[in-house]
Amino acid sequence: MASLHKLSVLVTLMSSFILSISVQVQSNDLIMTACSGTTSKQLCLHHLKADKRVTAAASKELDLGLAIIKNLIGQAKMTHDYVLKKKLANPAYGFCETKWADMVSGFERVLERTTKNKGYQEDTDDYDFMVIGDYVGNCKMSLEEAKIVDPEIAKGGDIVGTSIAAANTILSQLKAKNRNKDE
């Protein structure tokens, strides 16, 4: 009788292990799908998998898209804080400070609207989201005109661009699925 109990415990443990592997593979598949729409898949995978909130949300497209946007807001705030410090020493960073602040508020609006609508609803949602990311280029050009090359801003810009593309890929996929259900 004791060996039957051990067998049932073993079967339960194995089932739990297989289920956890299945969920992890599915989560990794969604993150891989999100990163497939980026120009730097390795940067995307490394950045998103490093965020536990993103990996925890990777079992559903909407949850993953929203988690990526939240991650993006955090990255934009960190870069904005960096630019604020640089602006104190060099006024040439003033334009960048404004642009990174605009990105933070813009991404917060995207998060609010996307959460409320449970994904992209309007045809322009993806465009509106990506346009906010253009501020990175505006900042870089302003610094280039002032003969400043700042690797930290370049890194923040790369992560922002990659994250926008990843969130957009997964949210566009969700929008297409939802449209197909409605037809």
Side-chain angles (χ1 to χ4, degrees):
M1 197 66 168
S3 60
L4 276 179
H5 177 70
K6 287 180 183 178
L7 180 62
S8 71
V9 169
L10 182 60
V11 168
T12 302
L13 287 173
M14 287 178 61
S15 297
S16 296
F17 178 71
I18 290 169
L19 182 61
S20 73
I21 289 174
S22 172
V23 169
Q24 188 175 19
V25 167
Q26 182 183 8
S27 296
N28 284 336
D29 286 349
L30 274 180
I31 291 173
M32 290 289 281
T33 298
C35 290
S36 71
T38 68
T39 56
S40 179
K41 193 172 182 176
Q42 283 305 104
L43 173 65
C44 179
L45 290 170
H46 176 74
H47 181 72
L48 295 183
K49 287 183 176 184
D51 186 333
K52 288 181 170 86
R53 293 177 300 170
V54 170
T55 57
S59 61
K60 294 181 183 171
E61 289 150 323
L62 178 60
D63 295 343
L64 177 59
L66 295 174
I68 294 171
I69 295 171
K70 288 175 187 174
N71 174 286
L72 177 59
I73 292 167
Q75 179 63 47
K77 284 180 178 180
M78 284 182 2
T79 304
H80 179 253
D81 290 346
Y82 168 81
V83 171
L84 275 173
K85 290 175 188 168
K86 296 296 277 189
K87 180 182 156 188
L88 294 174
N90 187 340
Y93 281 84
F95 181 78
C96 287
E97 187 273 324
T98 302
K99 290 303 168 190
W100 280 93
D102 290 346
M103 276 191 278
V104 170
S105 61
F107 294 144
E108 287 172 340
R109 283 190 308 276
V110 167
L111 177 64
E112 183 180 320
R113 183 176 60 229
T114 306
T115 301
K116 179 182 150 215
N117 293 338
K118 294 182 176 41
Y120 284 165
Q121 190 172 53
E122 303 298 321
D123 287 337
T124 61
D125 283 347
D126 56 342
Y127 175 79
D128 296 342
F129 183 29
M130 291 185 293
V131 165
I132 296 166
D134 289 346
Y135 295 156
V136 170
N138 300 143
C139 168
K140 285 182 186 178
M141 285 191 303
S142 173
L143 291 178
E144 286 172 8
E145 288 173 8
K147 307 282 190 250
I148 297 171
V149 175
D150 192 316
E152 196 64 31
I153 290 179
K155 177 183 168 193
D158 290 345
I159 291 171
V160 164
T162 297
S163 297
I164 290 171
N168 186 55
T169 297
I170 210 72
L171 291 169
S172 293
Q173 177 178 305
L174 175 63
K175 182 179 178 182
K177 279 184 180 179
N178 289 339
R179 278 196 176 155
N180 289 338
K181 285 181 191 175
D182 294 341
E183 291 177 356

